[in-house]
Every structure is written in structure tokens, then in C-alpha cells.
Amino acid sequence: MALTISVSEKVRILVTDANDESPEFINTPYIVQVPENSPSGSSIFKIEAVDRDTGSGGSITYFLQDGGGKLRGDNKVFSATTTVTINVEDVQDTPPMFIGTPYYGYVYEDTLAGSEVLTVVALDGDRGKPNSIHYCIVNGSEGSFEISNTTGAISVIKSPNQLKKEVYELRVQASEVSPEGDVSAYAFAIVTIRVVDLNNHPPTFYGESGPQNRFELTMYEHPPEGEILRGLKITVNDSDQGANAKFNLRLVGPGGIFRVVPQTVLNEAQVTIIVENSAAIDYEKFKVLTFKLLAIEVNTPEKFSSTADVAIRLLDTNDNVPKFSSDYYIARIPENSPGGSNVVAVTATDPDSGLWGEVKYSIYGTGADLFLIHPSTGIIYTQPWAVLDAEVNSKYNFYVKAEDTDGKYSLAEVFITVLDVNDHSPEFNENIQEKTMIIGSPVKIEAIDQDAEEPNNIVDYSIMQADPANVFDIDQSTGEIKLKSYIRSLDIIHNITKNKDCIWSLVVQAKDRGSPSFSTTAVLKIDITEETLHKGPMAAFLMQTKDNPMKALGVLAGVMGIMVLITIMISTAMFWRNKRSNKIMPVRRIIKKRQTQPSRTVRMEWLKFKRPSNAAEKFVVEDDAKSLQNENSNNNVQAAPVPPAAPLPPPPPALAASGNTAVWRVPTVSGSLTPKFINKQLKKRGHSSAHNALVSELKMKFEKRNAAMGEPHI
């Protein structure tokens, strides 16, 4: 059996308060009445709240946040909120205020006495418990208006025609009356009442004798700007009152000439017209200036208006200068015109009237000596004794003056050209002329025509007579005369004529192109010659065989062959001679030193072979200096041309020169032979060498010519 033993003891347990309760407001809801005139800082209500917690958890602080405490080991803050309603109570401390200011009213011309004009309204500024408002007119009524004490309605108590003023300003007072009947506050307002007239009268213009719709004035042109037209007495009136009597004035017509004052009128005004643009008031433009004076109401719906005509008649003054129809005049007159011939008519006009518009003409200037002008008509003509000559002076210019009776004038310039007339014949410097013509080169004749202008001074040339006729041609423009193209040599000329000296006499005409045309003739004697390369035997041979170049080439080739054969024979003989003596002997044992002389370059004209088309064209001498002119104008110039490069010919033999004789050297192929510079002694010594050089050159040229023409070489 078990034994059970029990023990007991008293235990005290202390319960610690935790912050587990929220504060609570008591005696809610809170409604507070506060007068509007309470001073700042006044206490108006007390709020109370409780918290059943103990210690710091039960303390209450009235801020944005309450105090807090521990709950289960954490710091916990509880709060409560409530609403406080504060009603502001109105206090009678604000005066009344008028509503709808400013106040305007109108009394019309047909309004009846006792009619209400307008109503004013005022309210107590204290809106919570407003007091009643009492109205009265303080001043400005002048016994014509009254106001309702309770409603504020203003009425007119007189008929409109009894009202003395157009505008009334009423001072109205609004007062607060308490329930006890005391006046606590008041306010004032201005009420403007305008007496309105009915618009039943248009503006009307008046003259000195009453209503008038046309006004006239006579005045001189160009009055000073700003001047008042005092001759016009114009008044304008509108019998209506107020706005109905307000209107504008303006001028209708040419703009910018006059202006009207005043421009705006109330009831009545004196009309003044003032000059604004003096230059536009011109008699020559307007004899009469017509305007309409217009008056039109401004602010009325009817826009009543009226007009009056204003006519201003202008008187002329001498305000214009004579003016030419052009700043300059250009005229032409033939040089053969007789004295007193009309040249040109100038015209100037002066728009002024009467004597002021009459114009007188005159001329002056260095070029006016040969001319006169009619003072009234302006016709310019030559002096009776004047002789015009275009070759002496073809241009004249001077001034013409147009002047009125008061001395006002203007100028214009006149340019006169004297037209050339064909009054000169072409003239040769000699009536009989002699010229030498080398075949292939032209000769030139010249005639001068002293006329001043084309075509009178253009000369055409022609051959009038020649025997035989078919030998010469002449260039119509230049006057160059040359042989017909088929004449290439003197032989052809000899076949044409029996005249062996080859001198022709031609009659040549020089004729101008004027109308009528003039002409002059001259006799021209032409000596025809043929230019030669050399006057020696070689040149003669070449000239004889110029019609057959193959023959000339064959002969020259034969000569060269003989010379080569002779050279070979001499060389062979010298060889065998030296061989026998076992030494070479010089050709010359003693060579004297010759005095050095300036060398002379011998020139020859180039020989040019052409493929023959006829007998005259087989041999041609080409002249490289054709562009130069000599005194005969036939291009026969002896200047040496620059020759082209060519291979050198065999060297010439050495020649001994005498003391007074210049050394003559055989030229290269590029040179030219000029027989004039070679004396007879040198001709004899250098003849064979010159032949060698000439043959080499002819052969080379002939081969090049045949190669260019596709012929076989020789």
C-alpha cells in the first residue's frame, strides 16, 4: 500500500499592468460656439480623455501623439481621436455694401413723370443676422428724382423737358437699422442718370443767310500750305442733345489737298478748311476744285448725315517753266543743202495761260554759228551764207533756249549731222604711172576718194582698155593687177604678142560707189620681167630648160658623172706616182697663209619642181619674201629667207685670193646664190664648185618631189 504525502504553501502572484488600453474621449461630441469678434488667444473649449492603464501607459498628452508603454516586451503607443465642431457666430460689425455698381440710368425724351429709372440694392455685411436696409438720396437730385426707402427704386418726378441738365449724379445712402430701430452702419453709392434726347434732327450746314448746301470761293493757285480759306463762311449744327448731337466732318474729293477742322463736332461748330498740299492746287490741272463736305453722326443707330458742295475756282499764275518735248534733238542735213535750209523744228510748251504761256526761242553755243532759229516757231535753219562740208566738219551741237515773258526758261541740246554727198571723184596720185611686174607677183594701183562716208569713199577698180585684152586681171577692191593664171613665163607672153619688150599700157578706172557715181581713169605702163636666179651660164641653162626639168636633171647628172670620173683618174695617177717613190707626196708643197676676210653668204632662190600641168608650170621659182612690200608694191623683195636644213655638198677646192678680193665660199644647199655680190674673178674660180652644189641640191629636191607624188626615184 502506497503512502501519499502532500505539502502546501501560499504563493503571492503580482500582476503587472501592460499598456493594453487605448485612451477614450468623454462627453463627446464636442460642439463649440465662438463669436466672430473673440480676441486671439482666447480659451473657447476644454477636451477630456481617460486611459485605464496605470503608470506611464495611462498618461495622456494632447499633442499629435500620446505617450506609450511596454506590451509583451515591446514599446506600444495607443491613441484616440475625436471631432470638435466650432461654429463662428456673426456679430454686427460690418457696414452694408451696394451690389451691381456703378449705377447708370437713362431718362428719354418721351419718359413720363413718376416713371422708375433704376433700382439700387445694398446688403448688410453681417450675413449671420443681417439688419434691414434703409435708402435715401443725400444730394444731386435737384428735386427731379426720388428713391424708395425700402426697395431702393429711383423714379423721375418731372417731365424730361423740365430737366435742366443732361447728366445727374445722385448720391444715395444705404443704412442698417437694428430690430430696436437704431442705425448702426451705412454706405454710399453714386448713381449717374443721363437725360437722353431722341435722335430726330440730322446735322445741317448754314451760311451767312441760313441753311445752305453749296459754297463757292475764287482764289489763286498754289496758296501757302496751312492757309485758311477765309472766304468760306460755313457753320454746321445738330439740334439734338447729347450723343445724338455728336457727328464727324470730312471732305470728300481729291485727297491730300485740303483738310477740315474740327473733325468731330458736338451740337454746333464753325467749319474751317485749311490748305494741306499747295502743289496740287494747280490751275493747269484743275480750273475748278470740287469737294463735298460731309457731316455724319457718330454714335447713333440712325447715322443721320448731310452734305454741302464746296467749289473752289482757281486763278492762274506764272508758275511753269517752258519745257521742251525732248531733252535733245538729232537732225541730219545733206552737205549740199543751200543756205537758209530748214534743219529741225524744236518744240517747247508753257502750260500757263495768256502771255505767261508764250514761248520765245533762241540758240547759243560754239556750234551755232552756221544756224538760226525762228523765235516763235522754233524752226532751226542754216545761215543764208552757210556752206556745209562733211569733209571739213560733219558734226555740230549747240543749245536751244525756250523762255517765257517773265524770263523763266529751259534748255535742250541739238545735235546736227552733215550728211556726206558724193561730191568727190576718186583721184590717182598720177594720171600716167609706170610699174614693173615680175611674173607671179602683182602690182598695185591706188586712188583716193575725199568723200567723208561710205559708200561715197569706197573705190572699185577695173581695166577699161588693154591690148591684148586677155592678159591682166585686177582686184576690184584692192587694185592689185596680176597676169592671168596661165601666164607663167615670158615665153608665153611672147606667144601672145609680137611686142618683144613686154611693156603694156592699160587704162585703169577707179569708180566710187556713191549715187551718182564718179570715176577717174589713169594710164598704167607695165614692164613685165622674169626674175632670174643668176646671170651666169648655169642660170641661163636652167632658165632655158625650165619647161623640161627632166632634161635639166639629165644634163646635170652627166656633168656630175664626168667630174667624178676625172676625180677618180687623178686619184689613180697620184696613187701610182706615190707608189713609185715609196712615199706620199702632198698635193701642194707650200701653202701660203691667206689673209682672213669676212665671209660672204651667197644666196639663191629656192628651186621648186612641180608636176607639170602645162609648159609654163614645169619650172617655178618660189619666193619666200612675198609678204614684204617694195616701192613698186609687187612683192619683189631681195631679202634672204631662212633656208631649211639640208645635207652638205662636196667641199669646194681651195682658192687663192688676191689682196683686194673678198673670199667667196660655195654655200651649202640651205643657202641661196645671189649673183649681184660675186665679181667676175670669183665667178670663174668657183664656177665648177657651184655647179656641184647646185646639182646635188636639184637632185635631192627632185627625189623628194617624186617620192611625195608616188613616182619612181631617179
Side-chain angles (χ1 to χ4, degrees), residues 517-531:
S517 178
F518 293 99
S519 62
T520 304
T521 59
V523 176
L524 178 63
K525 295 183 178 181
I526 300 178
D527 183 7
I528 301 177
T529 63
E530 191 170 31
E531 187 174 17

Side-chain angles (χ1 to χ4, degrees), residues 131-146:
N131 292 325
S132 61
I133 303 297
H134 181 270
Y135 300 95
C136 67
I137 296 176
V138 178
N139 56 40
S141 171
E142 299 182 6
S144 301
F145 300 92
E146 64 179 6

Side-chain angles (χ1 to χ4, degrees), residues 251-263:
L251 281 174
V252 180
I257 299 178
F258 298 100
R259 61 186 176 92
V260 62
V261 292
Q263 295 183 349

Side-chain angles (χ1 to χ4, degrees), residues 331-332 367 371 389-390 392-397 415-419 453:
R332 297 174 178 84
F371 303 93
D389 191 344
V392 176
N393 189 2
S394 62
K395 304 290 183 182
Y396 296 89
N397 74 288
F415 298 89
I416 297 177
T417 300
V418 179
L419 299 177
E453 299 176 359

Side-chain angles (χ1 to χ4, degrees), residues 132-136 148-150 173-177 183:
S132 61
I133 303 297
H134 181 270
Y135 300 95
C136 67
S148 172
N149 294 334
T150 56
Q173 177 179 313
S175 304
E176 289 185 17
V177 180
V183 176

